[in-house]
Amino acid sequence: MSIALRTRTRRGRITGADDAAVADDVSFPAAVRPRLFLLDPVCVLPFGHNVPSLNYYRRYLSARFDVVSPFVCRHLPEQVEDAAEFRRHFEFYYRDFIRIAAPETPLPEGPGHSSDRLLQCARRDVATLLAEHGVGGEDRVFVPSADYYLVRALIDELLLRAPVNRPRLFLRFIGVMEGASRSVAAPFEELLSGLRGAIAGGLPISLAAETPSYADLLSVRTGRPVATVPYPLIGEQMKLPADPVLRIYSAGSARFDKGYLDLLDIARAVACAPFAERVAFTIQMLPDADLRSVQTYTSQLYACPGVTLLPAILTGAEIQHEYRRSHAVIMPYDAGIYRMRGSAILMEAIAYGRSVLTGDGTAFAPQVRHYGNGAVCRSPAEYLAAIEALLAMPAAEAELRLAQARARFAIDTDAAYQNWIR
Amino acid sequence: MLRILFVDHGFHERTASSRFMQDILRRHFDVACVLVDPAAPDPAALTVAPDVFAVVLWQLDYLAPVFLAQGVRTLVVPMYDGSANLPDEHWIAARGAGLLNFSRALHERTRMLGLSSLLVKYFPPPVAEAALPRFDTLRGFLWRRRPQEGIDLPLVRTLFGAQLATLHVHDVPDDPALALRDAIDPADHPYPITTSTWFADRAAYLAQLDACNVFIAPRPAEGIGMAMLEAMARGMLVVANDLPTHSEYICNWVNGVLFNTHAPGPAGFAEAAAIARRGWRSACDGHAAWLVQSETIAGYLESLRPPPPLPARDLDRVMRMIPRAFARGATAYEHAVTGLVELRLLDADVGAPDTPPVRAWPRTAPLLMPHHAADAELGAIDFAQGAAQPFLRHGWSFPEAGWTWVEGLRASLAFRLPHLPAGDLGILCIAWTAHAQHPAPLVIGVLVNGHFVQQLRPDDSATELRLRVPRFMLRDDADNEVGFLMSSSFAAAHDGRRISCAFCRLQFFDLAAPCGEPAPAGLLELVA
């Protein structure tokens, strides 16, 4: 513990060793607890995980910070449920990667390549936010899903400030948008280089990653300890349904890298098994842009006994309903794409008390093994065996095992956040 | 009870294939039935009385605009086999109607085109388990309905070889001229073959079906696939061509077997009994689900809103044009329906749902700049490498090496003229498309400042297309907007775009000005 190296100022600001990965258990008195600014400029789509996960964080961290202010992309539709507490602030910097419905607005004028103008735009957004809200050295800025432009803009803007006016930055890497730029040949390397420079320049930065594998990689590349912090556990455990049919849910808008094209082999194997009539799959389809190219495959899924297809986009209530009526979620995610990435679906499944069936080689497969909330499978035959094992497990035992996994995950996650973000 | 009009093809009076749907609707509505012969259209017979709550079109989807134009809520029940190859305009013209789709492929296509669609999956009642056929031998049943499309005796021989113990051929092709003329030579087949023609009654047909346990689906594609589903519900092994709706009911080698009429090969049927049983289980589960689904149809119909009727002149045009064009054949119909869509696009601003979001454009469009002041050329817009971006408004994809695709069915650009030309404005347009990808040759309607100018027909390679824009259509003190309306679009091979035409360059000329340099080929003709 490094508590001996630290002192607290009269208003609660911690000085001294500033590495949160080895932080102590100092907490702030209620009256002087810092404000937390929760930033996600990629939170723009009315579906997907950005909105719910930001809400997870807002609620979860509200217990420890008096003020938790989420700031999102200003193009997030106002009709989006659960986004009432968000402030729409950032321009959208990732039109090259994600198509959104909002019209483009002129970027700030400036010399150089258009993508540099994206960085200028991000810097302008960050500077405005910091100025308008008087963000100072006693505040905390938390980026739960680090993205290229926000991180670079934060670094650039904060380095311009005197050390006493620099809020502590908590950057959580999830392996999705960190390299999302067309302006440089190796944006992720550029980002890491910027981080190393910022750390050397004295910016108070704490790093975390969603998975242990990614944390290890970042640690080697930045020369700093990197914490591992999954999504916080929010959501009550649901009782397993009494339905004699084992319902397996492929949750979330489908994607090729989430194993959409592997689902048919698994469903076919189950349909031909002796216990086929006791198993049902509910699968959310691909978004239209992707669905167009795999209609023949999707028709075969549609024809497969025991399979029900759902639209790519469901409301929050519909997703809750599907979790409630399911026993397990299936996640045959691509090992290459998810070599470093975690999964919000995994967190939801643990929170709601649902088993997870997933492929091997992803960064979160070891988490499934560790928490014991499901099975890691390498082939349709192994998925079949895992499903048969779930069928054979008495409901009471399954409930207890999932509760145990949930409790273990909650303890680990709470400890990780307590230690990392403060 | 609300009154609805059930409009059906005259042919179905004999097959009674729509009877089950009429029965479902009769539980909720007072149903009157009208039979239509598409070959002899009678527009007067399609006029709807004021007390009709809704019209249900069974398979006659081409008539949807006729009833929508009258301001009647319209439910269309299209069939994959009849409608899958019709162009997008066929469906766009039916916007405002509700669709009841038995095919997932049609459901997705129409949904993505912006239509409201309810997807359902029909299964007839399954037989009791005790009545399932035995699989000690394989006994095939082939309804020889479309031999000209490859589903005939040679295909069965290729697929099954000596695995079949017997084959019964129900020889009643849709085209009677294709009936078997000579006795089948037993030496040509490794199994004995029996034949039949129309049965005296349905019981006789079912008795023959029960004597077999393998059903070879009679057509390459189906609207629902009643015969196939009936066989599945009786526990037969269903073997069918790999197209909807077969491929939406049969998961290959799980609950049936799919073949390809274009490349059939021998297959092993050792698992026939297990596959057939899974097919029967699918029918059991599917029928239970259908009973629930069928109860939602009336509610869906009631939820449809009647569209505003067209003005009398346009209504008369639609009611005469569409049925007659359909009776004249595919080309005439596509031309008519494309014209109708253009009319709707202009009047109602109905855009394709996949049109990219509107781009924010400068308050004023850029000025055209001539390369040589003395030329007849007023300027050019080059679509290569993004040079055209300042001129583009909506509907354009990203710039590529030498062109920019139009995404969806509409696009526009705008420019300002330094001064009005002395004469008409000539536009030399260099564009191309991939004709093989379009359901019919692409036709582009061009509008300048809201005035229709002419149609363009691009080729497969970049070619010069000429436009003459009358001077009165132009503005010298404001933006000149050029709109392009496409007759169809298609899915790009490697990404999610739906594209229609690639534009390379637009060159603008004052057709009254003397040419300082030789004008491009084609322009001379235009000037002349």
Side-chain angles (χ1 to χ4, degrees), chain A residues 290-335:
Chain A
D290 293 328
L291 186 62
R292 286 190 175 101
S293 61
V294 287
Q295 293 286 20
T296 303
Y297 171 87
T298 303
S299 284
Q300 284 291 277
L301 260 185
Y302 179 67
C304 190
V307 172
T308 301
L309 297 181
L310 296 179
I313 299 170
L314 297 180
T315 65
E318 287 168 334
I319 291 169
Q320 287 276 322
H321 172 71
E322 290 305 327
Y323 271 114
R324 195 172 298 283
R325 68 198 286 260
S326 302
H327 298 79
V329 296
I330 187 161
M331 305 166 60
Y333 287 16
D334 181 82

CSV table of all heavy atoms in Angstrom, one decimal, chain A residues 290-335:
chain,number,residue,atom,x,y,z
A,290,ASP,N,-26.0,-5.7,-43.3
A,290,ASP,CA,-25.3,-6.9,-43.4
A,290,ASP,C,-26.2,-8.1,-43.8
A,290,ASP,O,-25.8,-9.0,-44.5
A,290,ASP,CB,-24.7,-7.3,-42.0
A,290,ASP,CG,-23.6,-6.3,-41.6
A,290,ASP,OD1,-22.9,-5.8,-42.5
A,290,ASP,OD2,-23.4,-6.0,-40.4
A,291,LEU,N,-27.5,-8.0,-43.4
A,291,LEU,CA,-28.4,-9.0,-43.7
A,291,LEU,C,-28.6,-9.3,-45.1
A,291,LEU,O,-28.8,-10.4,-45.6
A,291,LEU,CB,-29.8,-8.7,-43.0
A,291,LEU,CG,-30.8,-9.8,-43.0
A,291,LEU,CD1,-30.4,-11.0,-42.3
A,291,LEU,CD2,-32.1,-9.3,-42.4
A,292,ARG,N,-28.5,-8.2,-45.9
A,292,ARG,CA,-28.7,-8.3,-47.4
A,292,ARG,C,-27.8,-9.4,-48.0
A,292,ARG,O,-28.2,-10.1,-48.9
A,292,ARG,CB,-28.5,-7.0,-48.0
A,292,ARG,CG,-29.6,-6.0,-47.8
A,292,ARG,CD,-29.3,-4.8,-48.7
A,292,ARG,NE,-30.4,-3.8,-48.6
A,292,ARG,CZ,-30.3,-2.7,-47.9
A,292,ARG,NH1,-29.3,-2.4,-47.2
A,292,ARG,NH2,-31.4,-1.9,-47.8
A,293,SER,N,-26.6,-9.5,-47.5
A,293,SER,CA,-25.6,-10.4,-48.1
A,293,SER,C,-25.7,-11.8,-47.6
A,293,SER,O,-25.0,-12.6,-48.2
A,293,SER,CB,-24.2,-9.8,-47.9
A,293,SER,OG,-23.9,-9.8,-46.5
A,294,VAL,N,-26.5,-12.1,-46.7
A,294,VAL,CA,-26.6,-13.5,-46.1
A,294,VAL,C,-28.0,-13.9,-46.0
A,294,VAL,O,-28.4,-14.6,-45.0
A,294,VAL,CB,-25.8,-13.6,-44.8
A,294,VAL,CG1,-24.3,-13.5,-45.0
A,294,VAL,CG2,-26.3,-12.6,-43.8
A,295,GLN,N,-28.8,-13.6,-47.0
A,295,GLN,CA,-30.2,-14.0,-46.9
A,295,GLN,C,-30.4,-15.6,-47.0
A,295,GLN,O,-31.3,-16.1,-46.4
A,295,GLN,CB,-31.0,-13.4,-48.1
A,295,GLN,CG,-31.1,-11.8,-47.9
A,295,GLN,CD,-32.1,-11.4,-46.8
A,295,GLN,OE1,-32.4,-12.2,-45.9
A,295,GLN,NE2,-32.6,-10.2,-46.9
A,296,THR,N,-29.6,-16.2,-47.9
A,296,THR,CA,-29.7,-17.7,-48.0
A,296,THR,C,-29.4,-18.3,-46.7
A,296,THR,O,-30.1,-19.2,-46.2
A,296,THR,CB,-28.8,-18.2,-49.1
A,296,THR,OG1,-29.1,-17.5,-50.3
A,296,THR,CG2,-29.0,-19.7,-49.3
A,297,TYR,N,-28.3,-17.9,-46.1
A,297,TYR,CA,-27.9,-18.5,-44.8
A,297,TYR,C,-29.0,-18.2,-43.7
A,297,TYR,O,-29.4,-19.1,-43.0
A,297,TYR,CB,-26.6,-17.8,-44.3
A,297,TYR,CG,-26.2,-18.2,-42.9
A,297,TYR,CD1,-25.5,-19.3,-42.6
A,297,TYR,CD2,-26.6,-17.3,-41.8
A,297,TYR,CE1,-25.1,-19.6,-41.3
A,297,TYR,CE2,-26.3,-17.6,-40.5
A,297,TYR,CZ,-25.5,-18.8,-40.3
A,297,TYR,OH,-25.2,-19.1,-39.0
A,298,THR,N,-29.5,-17.0,-43.7
A,298,THR,CA,-30.5,-16.6,-42.7
A,298,THR,C,-31.8,-17.4,-42.9
A,298,THR,O,-32.5,-17.8,-42.0
A,298,THR,CB,-30.8,-15.1,-42.7
A,298,THR,OG1,-29.6,-14.4,-42.5
A,298,THR,CG2,-31.8,-14.7,-41.7
A,299,SER,N,-32.1,-17.7,-44.2
A,299,SER,CA,-33.3,-18.5,-44.4
A,299,SER,C,-33.1,-19.9,-43.9
A,299,SER,O,-34.1,-20.5,-43.4
A,299,SER,CB,-33.6,-18.6,-46.0
A,299,SER,OG,-34.2,-17.4,-46.4
A,300,GLN,N,-31.9,-20.4,-43.9
A,300,GLN,CA,-31.7,-21.8,-43.3
A,300,GLN,C,-31.8,-21.7,-41.8
A,300,GLN,O,-32.3,-22.7,-41.2
A,300,GLN,CB,-30.3,-22.3,-43.8
A,300,GLN,CG,-30.3,-22.8,-45.2
A,300,GLN,CD,-31.1,-24.1,-45.3
A,300,GLN,OE1,-30.6,-25.2,-45.1
A,300,GLN,NE2,-32.4,-23.9,-45.8
A,301,LEU,N,-31.3,-20.6,-41.2
A,301,LEU,CA,-31.5,-20.5,-39.8
A,301,LEU,C,-33.1,-20.4,-39.5
A,301,LEU,O,-33.5,-21.1,-38.5
A,301,LEU,CB,-30.9,-19.1,-39.3
A,301,LEU,CG,-29.6,-19.1,-38.6
A,301,LEU,CD1,-29.3,-17.7,-38.1
A,301,LEU,CD2,-29.5,-20.1,-37.5
A,302,TYR,N,-33.8,-19.7,-40.3
A,302,TYR,CA,-35.2,-19.6,-40.1
A,302,TYR,C,-35.9,-20.9,-40.3
A,302,TYR,O,-36.9,-21.2,-39.6
A,302,TYR,CB,-35.7,-18.6,-41.2
A,302,TYR,CG,-37.2,-18.3,-41.2
A,302,TYR,CD1,-37.8,-17.6,-40.2
A,302,TYR,CD2,-37.9,-18.6,-42.4
A,302,TYR,CE1,-39.2,-17.3,-40.3
A,302,TYR,CE2,-39.3,-18.3,-42.4
A,302,TYR,CZ,-39.9,-17.7,-41.4
A,302,TYR,OH,-41.2,-17.4,-41.5
A,303,ALA,N,-35.3,-21.8,-41.1
A,303,ALA,CA,-36.0,-23.1,-41.4
A,303,ALA,C,-35.6,-24.1,-40.3
A,303,ALA,O,-36.2,-25.1,-40.2
A,303,ALA,CB,-35.6,-23.6,-42.7
A,304,CYS,N,-34.5,-23.8,-39.6
A,304,CYS,CA,-34.0,-24.8,-38.6
A,304,CYS,C,-35.0,-25.0,-37.5
A,304,CYS,O,-35.4,-24.1,-36.8
A,304,CYS,CB,-32.6,-24.4,-38.1
A,304,CYS,SG,-31.8,-25.6,-37.2
A,305,PRO,N,-35.3,-26.3,-37.2
A,305,PRO,CA,-36.3,-26.5,-36.1
A,305,PRO,C,-35.7,-26.0,-34.8
A,305,PRO,O,-34.5,-26.1,-34.5
A,305,PRO,CB,-36.4,-28.0,-36.0
A,305,PRO,CG,-36.0,-28.5,-37.4
A,305,PRO,CD,-35.0,-27.5,-37.9
A,306,GLY,N,-36.6,-25.3,-34.0
A,306,GLY,CA,-36.1,-24.8,-32.7
A,306,GLY,C,-35.6,-23.4,-32.7
A,306,GLY,O,-35.2,-22.9,-31.7
A,307,VAL,N,-35.5,-22.8,-33.9
A,307,VAL,CA,-34.9,-21.5,-34.0
A,307,VAL,C,-35.9,-20.4,-34.2
A,307,VAL,O,-36.8,-20.6,-35.1
A,307,VAL,CB,-33.8,-21.4,-35.1
A,307,VAL,CG1,-33.3,-20.0,-35.3
A,307,VAL,CG2,-32.6,-22.3,-34.8
A,308,THR,N,-35.9,-19.4,-33.4
A,308,THR,CA,-36.8,-18.2,-33.7
A,308,THR,C,-35.9,-17.0,-33.9
A,308,THR,O,-34.9,-16.8,-33.2
A,308,THR,CB,-37.6,-17.9,-32.4
A,308,THR,OG1,-38.4,-19.1,-32.2
A,308,THR,CG2,-38.6,-16.7,-32.7
A,309,LEU,N,-36.2,-16.3,-35.0
A,309,LEU,CA,-35.4,-15.1,-35.3
A,309,LEU,C,-36.1,-13.8,-34.8
A,309,LEU,O,-37.3,-13.7,-35.0
A,309,LEU,CB,-35.1,-15.0,-36.8
A,309,LEU,CG,-34.4,-16.1,-37.5
A,309,LEU,CD1,-34.2,-15.9,-39.0
A,309,LEU,CD2,-33.0,-16.3,-36.8
A,310,LEU,N,-35.3,-12.9,-34.3
A,310,LEU,CA,-35.8,-11.7,-33.8
A,310,LEU,C,-35.2,-10.5,-34.6
A,310,LEU,O,-34.1,-10.7,-35.2
A,310,LEU,CB,-35.5,-11.5,-32.3
A,310,LEU,CG,-36.2,-12.4,-31.3
A,310,LEU,CD1,-35.7,-12.1,-29.9
A,310,LEU,CD2,-37.7,-12.4,-31.4
A,311,PRO,N,-35.8,-9.4,-34.6
A,311,PRO,CA,-35.1,-8.2,-35.3
A,311,PRO,C,-33.8,-7.9,-34.7
A,311,PRO,O,-33.5,-8.2,-33.6
A,311,PRO,CB,-36.1,-7.1,-35.2
A,311,PRO,CG,-37.4,-7.7,-34.8
A,311,PRO,CD,-37.1,-9.0,-34.1
A,312,ALA,N,-33.0,-7.2,-35.5
A,312,ALA,CA,-31.6,-6.8,-35.0
A,312,ALA,C,-31.7,-5.8,-33.9
A,312,ALA,O,-30.9,-5.8,-33.0
A,312,ALA,CB,-30.9,-6.2,-36.2
A,313,ILE,N,-32.8,-5.0,-33.9
A,313,ILE,CA,-32.9,-4.0,-32.9
A,313,ILE,C,-34.1,-4.2,-32.0
A,313,ILE,O,-35.2,-4.4,-32.5
A,313,ILE,CB,-33.0,-2.6,-33.5
A,313,ILE,CG1,-31.7,-2.3,-34.3
A,313,ILE,CG2,-33.1,-1.5,-32.4
A,313,ILE,CD1,-31.8,-1.1,-35.2
A,314,LEU,N,-33.9,-4.4,-30.7
A,314,LEU,CA,-35.0,-4.5,-29.8
A,314,LEU,C,-35.0,-3.4,-28.8
A,314,LEU,O,-33.9,-2.8,-28.5
A,314,LEU,CB,-34.8,-5.9,-29.0
A,314,LEU,CG,-34.9,-7.2,-29.8
A,314,LEU,CD1,-34.7,-8.4,-28.9
A,314,LEU,CD2,-36.2,-7.3,-30.6
A,315,THR,N,-36.1,-3.1,-28.2
A,315,THR,CA,-36.1,-2.1,-27.1
A,315,THR,C,-35.5,-2.7,-25.9
A,315,THR,O,-35.4,-4.0,-25.7
A,315,THR,CB,-37.6,-1.7,-26.8
A,315,THR,OG1,-38.2,-2.8,-26.3
A,315,THR,CG2,-38.3,-1.2,-28.1
A,316,GLY,N,-35.2,-1.9,-24.9
A,316,GLY,CA,-34.6,-2.4,-23.6
A,316,GLY,C,-35.6,-3.3,-23.0
A,316,GLY,O,-35.2,-4.4,-22.4
A,317,ALA,N,-36.9,-3.0,-23.0
A,317,ALA,CA,-37.9,-3.9,-22.4
A,317,ALA,C,-37.9,-5.3,-23.1
A,317,ALA,O,-38.0,-6.3,-22.4
A,317,ALA,CB,-39.2,-3.3,-22.4
A,318,GLU,N,-37.8,-5.3,-24.4
A,318,GLU,CA,-37.8,-6.6,-25.1
A,318,GLU,C,-36.5,-7.4,-24.8
A,318,GLU,O,-36.6,-8.6,-24.7
A,318,GLU,CB,-37.9,-6.3,-26.6
A,318,GLU,CG,-39.2,-5.8,-27.1
A,318,GLU,CD,-39.2,-5.2,-28.5
A,318,GLU,OE1,-38.2,-4.8,-29.0
A,318,GLU,OE2,-40.3,-5.3,-29.1
A,319,ILE,N,-35.4,-6.7,-24.7
A,319,ILE,CA,-34.2,-7.4,-24.3
A,319,ILE,C,-34.3,-8.0,-22.9
A,319,ILE,O,-34.0,-9.2,-22.7
A,319,ILE,CB,-33.0,-6.5,-24.4
A,319,ILE,CG1,-32.7,-6.1,-25.9
A,319,ILE,CG2,-31.7,-7.1,-23.8
A,319,ILE,CD1,-31.7,-5.0,-26.1
A,320,GLN,N,-34.9,-7.3,-22.0
A,320,GLN,CA,-35.1,-7.8,-20.7
A,320,GLN,C,-36.0,-9.0,-20.7
A,320,GLN,O,-35.8,-10.0,-20.0
A,320,GLN,CB,-35.8,-6.7,-19.8
A,320,GLN,CG,-34.8,-5.6,-19.4
A,320,GLN,CD,-34.0,-5.9,-18.2
A,320,GLN,OE1,-34.5,-6.6,-17.3
A,320,GLN,NE2,-32.8,-5.5,-18.2
A,321,HIS,N,-37.0,-8.9,-21.5
A,321,HIS,CA,-38.0,-10.0,-21.7
A,321,HIS,C,-37.3,-11.3,-22.2
A,321,HIS,O,-37.5,-12.4,-21.7
A,321,HIS,CB,-39.1,-9.6,-22.6
A,321,HIS,CG,-40.0,-10.8,-23.0
A,321,HIS,ND1,-40.9,-11.3,-22.1
A,321,HIS,CD2,-40.2,-11.5,-24.1
A,321,HIS,CE1,-41.6,-12.3,-22.7
A,321,HIS,NE2,-41.1,-12.4,-23.9
A,322,GLU,N,-36.4,-11.1,-23.1
A,322,GLU,CA,-35.7,-12.3,-23.7
A,322,GLU,C,-34.7,-12.9,-22.6
A,322,GLU,O,-34.6,-14.1,-22.6
A,322,GLU,CB,-34.9,-11.9,-25.0
A,322,GLU,CG,-35.8,-11.6,-26.1
A,322,GLU,CD,-36.8,-12.7,-26.5
A,322,GLU,OE1,-36.4,-13.9,-26.3
A,322,GLU,OE2,-37.9,-12.4,-26.9
A,323,TYR,N,-34.1,-12.0,-21.9
A,323,TYR,CA,-33.2,-12.5,-20.8
A,323,TYR,C,-34.0,-13.3,-19.8
A,323,TYR,O,-33.7,-14.4,-19.3
A,323,TYR,CB,-32.5,-11.4,-20.1
A,323,TYR,CG,-31.1,-11.1,-20.7
A,323,TYR,CD1,-30.9,-9.8,-21.3
A,323,TYR,CD2,-30.1,-12.0,-20.7
A,323,TYR,CE1,-29.7,-9.5,-21.9
A,323,TYR,CE2,-28.8,-11.7,-21.3
A,323,TYR,CZ,-28.7,-10.4,-21.9
A,323,TYR,OH,-27.5,-10.1,-22.4
A,324,ARG,N,-35.2,-12.7,-19.5
A,324,ARG,CA,-36.0,-13.3,-18.5
A,324,ARG,C,-36.5,-14.7,-18.9
A,324,ARG,O,-36.5,-15.7,-18.0
A,324,ARG,CB,-37.2,-12.4,-18.2
A,324,ARG,CG,-38.0,-12.7,-16.9
A,324,ARG,CD,-39.0,-11.7,-16.6
A,324,ARG,NE,-38.5,-10.3,-16.4
A,324,ARG,CZ,-37.9,-10.0,-15.3
A,324,ARG,NH1,-37.8,-10.8,-14.3
A,324,ARG,NH2,-37.4,-8.7,-15.2
A,325,ARG,N,-36.8,-14.9,-20.1
A,325,ARG,CA,-37.4,-16.2,-20.6
A,325,ARG,C,-36.3,-17.2,-21.0
A,325,ARG,O,-36.6,-18.3,-21.4
A,325,ARG,CB,-38.4,-16.0,-21.7
A,325,ARG,CG,-37.8,-15.5,-23.0
A,325,ARG,CD,-38.8,-14.9,-23.9
A,325,ARG,NE,-39.7,-15.9,-24.5
A,325,ARG,CZ,-39.5,-16.4,-25.7
A,325,ARG,NH1,-38.6,-15.9,-26.5
A,325,ARG,NH2,-40.3,-17.3,-26.2
A,326,SER,N,-35.0,-16.8,-21.0
A,326,SER,CA,-33.9,-17.6,-21.4
A,326,SER,C,-33.2,-18.2,-20.2
A,326,SER,O,-33.2,-17.7,-19.1
A,326,SER,CB,-32.9,-16.8,-22.3
A,326,SER,OG,-33.6,-16.3,-23.4
A,327,HIS,N,-32.5,-19.4,-20.5
A,327,HIS,CA,-31.7,-20.0,-19.5
A,327,HIS,C,-30.2,-19.7,-19.7
A,327,HIS,O,-29.4,-19.7,-18.8
A,327,HIS,CB,-31.8,-21.5,-19.6
A,327,HIS,CG,-33.2,-22.0,-19.2
A,327,HIS,ND1,-34.2,-22.0,-20.2
A,327,HIS,CD2,-33.7,-22.5,-18.1
A,327,HIS,CE1,-35.3,-22.4,-19.6
A,327,HIS,NE2,-35.1,-22.8,-18.4
A,328,ALA,N,-29.9,-19.4,-21.0
A,328,ALA,CA,-28.4,-19.2,-21.3
A,328,ALA,C,-28.3,-18.3,-22.5
A,328,ALA,O,-29.3,-18.1,-23.2
A,328,ALA,CB,-27.8,-20.6,-21.7
A,329,VAL,N,-27.1,-17.7,-22.6
A,329,VAL,CA,-26.8,-16.9,-23.8
A,329,VAL,C,-25.7,-17.6,-24.6
A,329,VAL,O,-24.9,-18.3,-24.0
A,329,VAL,CB,-26.4,-15.4,-23.5
A,329,VAL,CG1,-27.5,-14.7,-22.9
A,329,VAL,CG2,-25.2,-15.4,-22.7
A,330,ILE,N,-25.7,-17.5,-25.9
A,330,ILE,CA,-24.7,-18.1,-26.7
A,330,ILE,C,-23.9,-17.0,-27.4
A,330,ILE,O,-24.4,-16.1,-27.9
A,330,ILE,CB,-25.3,-19.1,-27.7
A,330,ILE,CG1,-24.2,-19.9,-28.4
A,330,ILE,CG2,-26.3,-18.4,-28.7
A,330,ILE,CD1,-24.8,-21.1,-29.1
A,331,MET,N,-22.6,-17.2,-27.3
A,331,MET,CA,-21.7,-16.1,-27.8
A,331,MET,C,-20.5,-16.8,-28.5
A,331,MET,O,-19.4,-16.8,-28.0
A,331,MET,CB,-21.1,-15.3,-26.6
A,331,MET,CG,-22.2,-14.7,-25.8
A,331,MET,SD,-21.5,-14.1,-24.2
A,331,MET,CE,-20.4,-12.9,-24.8
A,332,PRO,N,-20.7,-17.3,-29.7
A,332,PRO,CA,-19.6,-17.9,-30.5
A,332,PRO,C,-18.7,-16.9,-31.2
A,332,PRO,O,-18.5,-16.9,-32.4
A,332,PRO,CB,-20.3,-18.8,-31.5
A,332,PRO,CG,-21.6,-18.1,-31.7
A,332,PRO,CD,-22.0,-17.4,-30.5
A,333,TYR,N,-18.2,-16.0,-30.4
A,333,TYR,CA,-17.5,-14.8,-30.9
A,333,TYR,C,-16.2,-15.2,-31.6
A,333,TYR,O,-15.5,-16.2,-31.2
A,333,TYR,CB,-17.2,-13.8,-29.8
A,333,TYR,CG,-18.4,-13.0,-29.3
A,333,TYR,CD1,-19.7,-13.4,-29.6
A,333,TYR,CD2,-18.2,-11.9,-28.6
A,333,TYR,CE1,-20.8,-12.7,-29.1
A,333,TYR,CE2,-19.3,-11.1,-28.1
A,333,TYR,CZ,-20.6,-11.6,-28.4
A,333,TYR,OH,-21.7,-10.9,-27.9
A,334,ASP,N,-15.8,-14.4,-32.5
A,334,ASP,CA,-14.5,-14.6,-33.3
A,334,ASP,C,-13.3,-14.4,-32.4
A,334,ASP,O,-13.1,-13.4,-31.8
A,334,ASP,CB,-14.5,-13.7,-34.5
A,334,ASP,CG,-13.2,-13.9,-35.3
A,334,ASP,OD1,-13.3,-14.8,-36.1
A,334,ASP,OD2,-12.2,-13.2,-35.1
A,335,ALA,N,-12.5,-15.5,-32.4
A,335,ALA,CA,-11.3,-15.4,-31.5
A,335,ALA,C,-10.3,-14.4,-31.9
A,335,ALA,O,-9.7,-13.8,-31.0
A,335,ALA,CB,-10.7,-16.8,-31.4
